[in-house]
Each structure stands twice: as structure tokens, then as C-alpha cells.
Amino acid sequence: MANKQKIKGAEALLLSLIEEGTRDMFGYPGGQVIPIYDCLYDYRDRINHILTRHEQGAVHAAQGYARATGRVGVCMATSGPGATNLVTGIADAMLDSTPLVCITGQVPSSMLGTDAFQEADIISMTMPVTKWNYQVTSASEIPRAIAKAFYIARSGRPGPVLIDIAKNAQVEEMDYSYKPCLSLRSYHPTPEIDEEGVRQAVEMINAAERPLILAGQGVVLSGAERSLTEFAEAGHLPVATTLMGISALPSGHPLFVGNLGMHGNVAANAMTQHSDLIVAIGMRFSDRVTGDVQNYAPQAKIIHVDIDRAELGKNIRIDLALHADARTALEAFKVGLKYRERPDWFAFAEQERAVEQKEVFAHTDDPAGRFITMAQVIRNLAEIEKGDAVIVTDVGQNQMFSARYSRFNASRSFITSGGLGTMGFGLPAALGAKVGVPDKEVVAVLGDGGLQMTLQELGTIMQNNIGVKILVLNNSYLGMVRQWQQLFFNRRYSFTELENPDFSAIAAAYRIPARRVTKPEELNGALREMSEAPGAYLLEVAVMPDENVFPMVPAGASLSNLIYHD
């Protein structure tokens, strides 16, 4: 516990953040947080504050930072529009279980409820999309509120917390001392594992002829990557991942059978439909994973492990629920687990991989050789980066191609907006990731539409010399919406075509080296140039305008009803 000292609330906030290990934060100043920023001037050697160009950029950068490092991301904004500009990122973090502490300024407590200038009830607005939020009206509350915020944000199923601090609390003096929060009455984030349930689960796994592990982001959030690998190897069990679980197991691991769901791999989806036992760990059975729930995994018994009790049985019927932390459960499963070859099951996986090679991979290049395809770009990037880069995507076709064709050697290497699907996420999240892991190559894979939603964050990259690589796949369309219009709306391309600016010229205005390529023979050289650049670099690739992502499960259809190509 820090010794008591008389300081203002603004300084108490910064000291509390430092006590919680905050080294970097992202934000944008304004009238109701000026006292905090004034104090931050004297703490620049202890907290690296990144000035973004928009509050949405700040919260997405904090998300990217948290996802890349495993630490709590911190962002700050002023009241009113500053606070409301955080809401999209907060909602995104809630759905994707990203630990954030978001700090907003507020009008003085004496003016609350008066519709004062830039007053907004951010507590009511964010209540549905935070794990906890709290309004501070006196300086003495600040240390306790911050301690509780970090504890709640990082414990159990992680998520965002918002602390709204009235301006008077920032300037009042208080006796400062800090005590970390270690527990809260009625909040039990780490459940005790059911040993009888574990015993039943192991029996079911040992007896299964066609078992399949479905690994979600919960594996990563609990630090269970090694436990997952050891469990899978001990039982010789195939593993598929959700979109958010990508990189929990290295792409090249012999037991990895691919990604699940709407644009997942053929083998992973086919094995789901033919499995007799699914062991789902740290995933929530999203509709993008299951398709038609009435026809999902029709032959399988389902074991579901999740730290959030509310997820168990929420979307699909399950046979055995284990309310447990992923790492705890995986370690427990290894006791009594038997190794079985299951040659027929792995032969089925190889058969489905061959189907994908013939029906999908064979159709990824332009047969006439005129256009570069997104699939080519991501495949070639994967060959150059050799699985060592952190890939941060925006949302849409760029996201799905990156999920399908990227390769990953290490965990926390694929960062994307999963549950909310937020366009504009990619660029600020990538710069936040690069701040968090400066020694790693971080590549932002963006579409031309998503880039233009947060394009201003090129200024953040410029001012802070953040060496993120930016790969823009430009098809002059809102590509995923256009794909749906083509396949399901009789090719009525209503307001999805984009007339784009010169992205290289814009990058040059931000003093970021850039290049644009249009021919397949230029691609590899340009990708290598980007990869070898000493700092930030923007590469725009003009890609085939009407390329689609396949395979695809139409919305509401069964995983058995894959569309393989046009």
C-alpha cells in the first residue's frame, strides 16, 4: 500500500494507473479532462500517452494493445461527444472479451443533470456494454474506483470498464494511498472446477471415435495455449479454432484442422458435422460458427467449457457443461486421458482438405492473370512473414481472407473485431498492437472501405513514429456486402461501389512511404519492400473487383451446405 500523501484527484488517477502497471495509454483531451492532462504533463516519463486523432481511434488502439500484450488497455476522453465516441469500441470490447479501462471526464458534480455544455449520461449509455461502470464525484473515490476497475476488467471473462470522473473530483485535494483490489463480495470470477464433471468428460473423450476440439479465444485469454497443445497431443485429438481463437494453436501443428464457421475451412466444418464428440473450450457458439443450430453437429455429444456460466447452453444444446477457466479445465482433462490413433477420423480430415484444395484453393487466382486476388496477396504475405507477424485486420473480405490464408507460429498473432464486426477497427488496433509489442512485425490488413472510416489515425502513426505496416486491399467496393448482393440479392449492387482517393498521396501527406501495385508480377517485390521497410509503410494493392470469399455457409444454413466457389 502506498504511503498517504496530499494530492489532487488528477494526480491520484495517474498514480493509481501506474500502480496497476499502466505504461501506455491512448486518448484525446478536452474541456472536462484538462486537469488530468495538465498533470500528465509531469508524468510523461512514467506513462507514454499516445494522442490519437479521434476518440474511436483511442479505444480501438487500446483494444489492439490489450489483445497483443494480454495487459489491460487504457484510453481516455473528455465528456459528451468525447465519451460517446468511445462507445463503439467499448461495445466491441465487450463482445470480444477485451480488458479495457476507459476513463472519461464529466461536468462538475454540481452541474450533473442540468444539460450543461458537453454533458452526456455516459454511465447509462455504457451500462449494457461494460462489465462495470462508475461515476466518481469526489477525489477520495478515485484510487478505490481504479483498483476495482482493473480487477474487474482483467479477471474472469475479461471486458471493458468505464470510470467517469467529474471535473471537481479531478481538482480536489485528497489523502492519497493505494490498495489493489483482490476480491469483491458477490463477484467470483474464477469458478471451482467440478471434478465429477471432469471425470465424465475424460470418459467421453476416451470413448469417442470422432472427437473434435473447438478452441475459442478463452484459451488465449486464460493463457492456456500450452495446455491446449499438450491436451490435444496427449489424446491425439484434432483441433479447430473459432475466428477469435486463431493462433491459439500454431497453424502448422499436425493436429490443427482449420477455422470454423461461415468462411471457415472445409475440414473443420465437415468434421463438426460428422463428429461424435465436440469439446468446446472458451468459445460461445456464435451464429457465425454454428449456422443453423437445429442442424449443427447432429451426431455429436457436446462438452462445453467456459468461464462465463451464462454461455453454457445459451445457443445450442449441450450434454456436459463445465463452468471453469480454460487452462484449469485443460490441465484437469490430461489426467486419465488416453492416446488413440483414430486413423479413419484423420483420414476423413485429409479427404476434406483435398476437397478444399480442389474446390476452393484452385479457384483463388485470376485465370486470365490480369488481376491480383486478395487470396494471392495474403498467401504471399504469409510466405514472406513465415508466421511470425501479428496480423491485425479490419472487417469484411480482407478479414476473412486473412483468417483463411495467414499463418501463425505464436499466440496473440491474429487481432480482429469478431462479435461486433466493427469497420474502422483495423488501423487504430494495429497501431495499438505495435505500441504494445514494438519488437514484432505488425501488419494491418485493411479494405478500402474500412480504412476510410479511421484514416485520420495515419496522423497518430506519423506523430509517434509507430512502425506499423499497412496493407490496403483495394477493390473499390464494400466487398463483403457486394458479395452478398451478388449471391443473394440478384446482383443489385446498391451503394457498395466506392470512388476512392489516391491512398499513396494521402500516405505521403502523412510522411509515410507508400506504393501502389496493380499487376501480379509486382506483388512479391512490393510485399518484401513493405516488410523490409524500417518504419511505417503503406502498400495499396489493386485487387480483383468481384472476387468472393469461399467457401461460404449462407446465413441461417447448415454447415453442411457449403458454397465452394462462384
Side-chain angles (χ1 to χ4, degrees):
M1 182 187 295
N3 294 327
K4 286 189 176 183
Q5 50 184 313
K6 201 89 169 175
I7 60 174
K8 290 183 177 180
E11 187 173 8
L13 170 66
L14 299 183
L15 289 173
S16 299
L17 292 175
I18 291 167
E19 288 280 354
E20 290 293 342
T22 302
R23 301 196 289 268
D24 305 282
M25 64 185 295
F26 307 86
Y28 202 95
Q32 303 302 341
V33 285
I34 287 178
I36 299 172
Y37 273 90
D38 182 65
C39 188
L40 191 56
Y41 190 86
D42 297 323
Y43 279 80
R44 288 173 294 172
D45 60 335
R46 300 179 69 181
I47 296 179
N48 174 36
H49 178 278
I50 303 293
L51 172 65
T52 58
R53 294 303 182 265
H54 192 282
E55 292 89 354
Q56 185 177 350
V59 66
H60 288 329
Q63 288 178 272
Y65 182 93
R67 296 269 293 280
T69 64
R71 299 194 291 271
V72 176
V74 180
C75 62
M76 184 161 62
T78 192
S79 64
T84 60
N85 283 341
L86 296 179
V87 172
T88 295
I90 294 171
D92 191 287
M94 188 67 175
L95 277 171
D96 286 350
S97 304
T98 303
L100 298 183
V101 170
C102 306
I103 298 160
T104 54
Q106 186 53 272
V107 301
S109 57
S110 61
M111 300 178 70
L112 288 170
T114 67
D115 292 332
F117 178 66
Q118 291 193 334
E119 180 188 4
D121 184 0
I122 196 65
I123 294 296
S124 295
M125 292 181 194
T126 58
M127 193 172 292
V129 293
T130 52
K131 281 189 74 177
W132 178 66
N133 63 14
Y134 184 74
Q135 187 170 74
V136 172
T137 56
S138 66
S140 62
E141 299 175 273
I142 289 174
R144 187 172 66 254
I146 293 299
K148 187 174 177 181
F150 273 84
Y151 175 67
I152 292 173
R154 65 164 67 104
S155 62
R157 180 178 180 174
V161 170
L162 182 133
I163 303 296
D164 190 45
I165 307 178
K167 194 171 186 179
N168 61 286
Q170 301 170 34
V171 298
E172 291 170 358
E173 287 197 338
M174 59 168 292
D175 291 321
Y176 174 77
S177 64
Y178 194 79
K179 181 180 180 181
C181 181
L182 302 177
S183 64
L184 291 168
R185 189 175 63 184
S186 77
Y187 174 59
H188 306 289
T190 307
E192 291 187 15
I193 196 162
D194 175 6
E195 293 183 4
E196 175 59 23
V198 169
R199 187 193 63 77
Q200 292 179 33
V202 173
E203 280 187 2
M204 292 167 70
I205 295 166
N206 287 338
E209 298 294 333
R210 301 182 304 281
L212 178 64
I213 300 171
L214 308 186
Q217 191 190 197
V219 172
V220 176
L221 294 173
S222 67
E225 296 93 336
R226 175 181 284 185
S227 300
L228 172 67
T229 302
E230 291 175 350
F231 169 59
E233 290 175 348
H236 200 231
L237 306 167
V239 181
T241 63
T242 66
L243 181 72
M244 298 297 291
I246 290 174
S247 81
L249 192 72
S251 307
H253 195 286
L255 294 175
F256 180 62
V257 296
N259 307 321
L260 298 158
M262 179 174 280
H263 290 289
N265 293 102
V266 172
N269 283 333
M271 292 176 80
T272 298
Q273 296 302 87
H274 288 81
S275 172
D276 64 358
L277 179 67
I278 284 174
V279 185
I281 304 168
M283 52 90 74
R284 59 189 181 86
F285 289 105
S286 158
D287 60 293
R288 286 299 193 260
V289 165
T290 64
D292 177 13
V293 295
Q294 300 302 319
N295 293 294
Y296 177 75
Q299 303 176 41
K301 292 182 178 179
I302 296 176
I303 300 169
H304 189 188
V305 178
D306 205 280
I307 200 166
D308 185 351
R309 189 187 295 275
E311 294 295 345
L312 300 172
K314 184 178 79 174
N315 293 331
I316 64 164
R317 51 100 193 150
I318 56 177
D319 297 278
L320 178 60
L322 278 173
H323 181 214
D325 171 73
R327 183 164 59 179
T328 303
L330 285 165
E331 288 296 318
F333 285 166
K334 287 189 289 183
V335 178
L337 187 66
K338 296 178 181 177
Y339 181 94
R340 291 183 58 186
E341 286 289 345
R342 301 181 176 92
D344 292 344
W345 188 221
F346 283 91
F348 179 80
E350 288 304 314
Q351 169 191 309
E352 296 303 314
R353 283 196 182 102
V355 169
E356 185 162 36
Q357 186 68 42
K358 178 182 177 182
E359 300 292 343
V360 181
F361 292 172
H363 296 268
T364 56
D365 295 350
D366 175 24
R370 296 171 300 162
F371 293 106
I372 304 171
T373 67
M374 292 192 206
Q376 276 180 292
V377 177
I378 303 303
R379 284 203 319 266
N380 290 11
L381 176 67
E383 290 173 6
I384 289 168
E385 298 295 352
K386 302 186 185 308
D388 293 328
V390 176
I391 303 297
V392 185
T393 83
D394 210 86
V395 169
Q397 289 182 319
N398 65 87
Q399 176 187 35
M400 295 298 106
F401 277 113
S402 296
R404 287 185 53 74
Y405 296 109
S406 298
R407 295 292 175 265
F408 303 102
N409 297 328
S411 183
R412 296 189 177 275
S413 295
F414 184 71
I415 298 172
T416 196
S417 170
L420 199 63
T422 304
M423 287 183 67
F425 172 89
L427 183 62
L431 74 86
K434 184 64 176 177
V435 170
V437 289
D439 295 333
K440 290 188 177 182
E441 178 89 302
V442 177
V443 182
V445 181
L446 315 173
D448 44 315
L451 169 61
Q452 292 179 85
M453 289 193 171
T454 48
L455 182 67
Q456 70 277 358
E457 298 309 328
L458 292 174
T460 307
I461 292 169
M462 173 184 68
Q463 182 169 347
N464 296 279
N465 194 29
I466 300 170
V468 66
K469 307 302 169 60
I470 305 159
L471 177 59
V472 184
L473 304 178
N474 183 1
N475 60 5
S476 296
Y477 274 101
L478 299 176
M480 188 60 84
V481 182
R482 185 211 56 76
Q483 176 169 335
W484 280 52
Q485 288 173 333
Q486 176 187 332
L487 297 177
F488 310 117
F489 290 87
N490 299 316
R491 300 177 184 265
R492 291 162 58 87
Y493 301 127
S494 180
F495 299 100
T496 45
E497 187 171 3
L498 296 173
E499 185 172 334
N500 289 320
D502 184 337
F503 292 118
S504 295
I506 292 173
Y510 285 103
R511 301 196 294 275
I512 296 173
R515 180 176 174 182
R516 183 175 194 268
V517 298
T518 60
K519 299 175 182 177
E521 59 268 23
E522 301 173 323
L523 178 61
N524 262 7
L527 287 170
R528 290 193 180 280
E529 184 177 313
M530 178 186 75
S531 180
E532 293 168 3
Y537 189 100
L538 186 146
L539 173 60
E540 176 191 356
V541 183
V543 295
M544 180 185 291
D546 57 353
E547 181 183 7
N548 291 329
V549 188
F550 291 111
M552 180 181 185
V553 180
S558 165
L559 296 185
S560 301
N561 300 127
L562 283 174
I563 302 173
Y564 290 109
H565 53 78
D566 292 329

